[in-house]
Amino acid sequence: MEERLLKIQKEAEEALKKAKTLEELEALRVKYLGRKGPLTLFIQKIGDLPREERPSLGRLANEIKKDLSREIEEKRGRLKERQALPSLDLTLPGKKPPLGGLHPITQVLNEVTGIFSRLGFRIVQGPEIETDYYNFEALNMPPGHPARGMLDTFYLTKNTLLRSHTSPVQIHVMEKEKPPIRVISLGKVYRYEAVDASHLPMFHQVEGFMVDEGVNFSHLKGVLEVFLNELFGPKTPIRFRPSFFPYTEPSAEVDIGCLICKGKGCSVCKRTGWLEILGSGMIDPSVFKAVGYDSEKYTGFAFGVGIERIAMLKYNISDMRLFFENDLRFLRQF
Ligand code: DAH
């Protein structure tokens, strides 16, 4: 008898699990708990059972009835809740997850890397913390040299500093390797500057250099012409202007025709029609001496470019600070 009761309970609970609508649920309630349901009938006929079994079986039948009606009510609550939810339309288009993008400085770094890779230059990383020797001395700027003043340097200790340009990478590479060498190095540099629209205490540079027998100024010109024409578009006017850097002799600064006014003269190019873009020259024999190269045998050229400056000219941005404020309204434009 007891088994029969438990079987009814099990069957009812299985059916309950499968019920998906309020109507199905109500049908189950009538089937199992209604006036003609098996439990009701069982309780009605309890008098036919042997006297000693009546109390325990009666109790069991009532408990099962109570349990089932509680379970039905719970399920009714859940089904009602579900009905209240808006129905799901699987044909609606999905929501696009917001996609990030590459920072404009990263884009320019990638572009520069691509151009020089195609010219056969290798990419080398250098440390951002340097010693006085690499940042200055080996680059022909001994202590007290006036050119040190051009690079307002953050010192960490008397002898260590945050590199103020990427030129020390030249020394690291040449100390380790013998010519022929064709290398570029890209990274952060630091300067003790008051922040304004064109000065930041941290910015990015690309350093490039090539050393071999017979490298001359026309190689420098050729490489920079390819570089600048790829970067700013074919036929960008380029001019070399005599200049001075302690680590190159002769030295040249390179200008491109103003991208804004096309050379006519505007406020961006200060009415000159030209924009200064990079520093370069033939590597000074004293630099070769510092790394143990024979300057009678080898010659080389070097150049250094500011990445933020390139990005500002390329995208016509007038304030360098915009690159580091991370305002999405600015960044989304790239
Ligand atoms: N180091 C220079 C600067 O930070 C840029 C530079 C000029 C790099 C001439 C060179 C070079 O390699 O030959 O302003």
Side-chain angles (χ1 to χ4, degrees), residues 200-231:
L200 289 177
M202 184 284 293
F203 57 99
H204 297 78
Q205 279 190 336
V206 178
E207 190 80 14
F209 65 105
M210 171 170 171
V211 185
D212 201 355
E213 289 178 45
V215 174
N216 59 46
F217 204 93
S218 58
H219 295 120
L220 170 64
K221 260 191 104 171
V223 165
L224 290 181
E225 265 174 24
V226 170
F227 169 50
L228 296 171
N229 278 314
E230 291 246 346
L231 198 60

Side-chain angles (χ1 to χ4, degrees), residues 87-95:
S87 60
L88 188 61
D89 183 351
L90 294 174
T91 64
L92 285 175
K95 275 192 195 134

Side-chain angles (χ1 to χ4, degrees), residues 5 17 55 74 76 117 157 172 205 241 260 291 314 317:
L5 283 173
K17 267 190 218 154
E74 278 171 11
R76 196 191 305 280
S117 301
T157 65
H172 288 292
Q205 279 190 336
R241 210 164 14 82
I260 312 292
V291 297
K314 226 174 135 69
I317 294 160

Side-chain angles (χ1 to χ4, degrees), residues 109-265:
L109 284 169
N110 289 347
E111 201 177 339
V112 171
T113 308
I115 297 169
F116 282 105
S117 301
R118 291 194 290 279
L119 288 171
F121 282 69
R122 190 162 45 92
I123 296 139
V124 169
Q125 291 270 13
E128 288 175 29
I129 295 176
E130 278 293 6
T131 58
D132 185 276
Y133 178 78
Y134 286 98
N135 200 75
F136 293 121
E137 204 165 333
L139 290 164
N140 199 22
M141 289 180 277
H145 193 287
R148 288 186 173 216
M150 278 162 59
L151 301 164
D152 300 303
T153 307
F154 282 115
Y155 281 86
L156 301 171
T157 65
K158 195 161 176 294
N159 195 35
T160 52
L161 46 85
L162 295 176
R163 67 176 178 192
S164 47
H165 54 170
T166 43
S167 301
V169 181
Q170 292 182 33
I171 307 299
H172 288 292
V173 173
M174 288 193 278
E175 276 181 346
K176 278 192 229 100
E177 300 173 25
K178 292 273 158 277
I181 291 177
R182 252 183 302 178
V183 159
I184 60 162
S185 184
L186 313 89
K188 294 185 168 75
V189 301
Y190 300 85
R191 296 211 187 149
Y192 184 66
E193 304 260 23
V195 171
D196 65 28
S198 52
H199 294 91
L200 289 177
M202 184 284 293
F203 57 99
H204 297 78
Q205 279 190 336
V206 178
E207 190 80 14
F209 65 105
M210 171 170 171
V211 185
D212 201 355
E213 289 178 45
V215 174
N216 59 46
F217 204 93
S218 58
H219 295 120
L220 170 64
K221 260 191 104 171
V223 165
L224 290 181
E225 265 174 24
V226 170
F227 169 50
L228 296 171
N229 278 314
E230 291 246 346
L231 198 60
F232 294 110
K235 302 202 187 107
T236 305
I238 295 165
R239 76 174 181 188
F240 285 70
R241 210 164 14 82
S243 183
F244 174 79
F245 299 101
Y247 30 95
T248 44
E249 181 57 37
S251 304
E253 278 179 285
V254 179
D255 299 339
I256 55 170
C258 181
L259 302 164
I260 312 292
C261 63
K262 307 281 174 229
K264 286 197 199 76

Side-chain angles (χ1 to χ4, degrees), residues 3 34 75 131 147 156 198 206 212 222 275 297 303 325:
E3 267 164 35
K75 177 107 187 185
T131 58
L156 301 171
S198 52
V206 178
D212 201 355
L275 297 165
K297 187 171 178 201
F303 57 88
E325 281 168 358

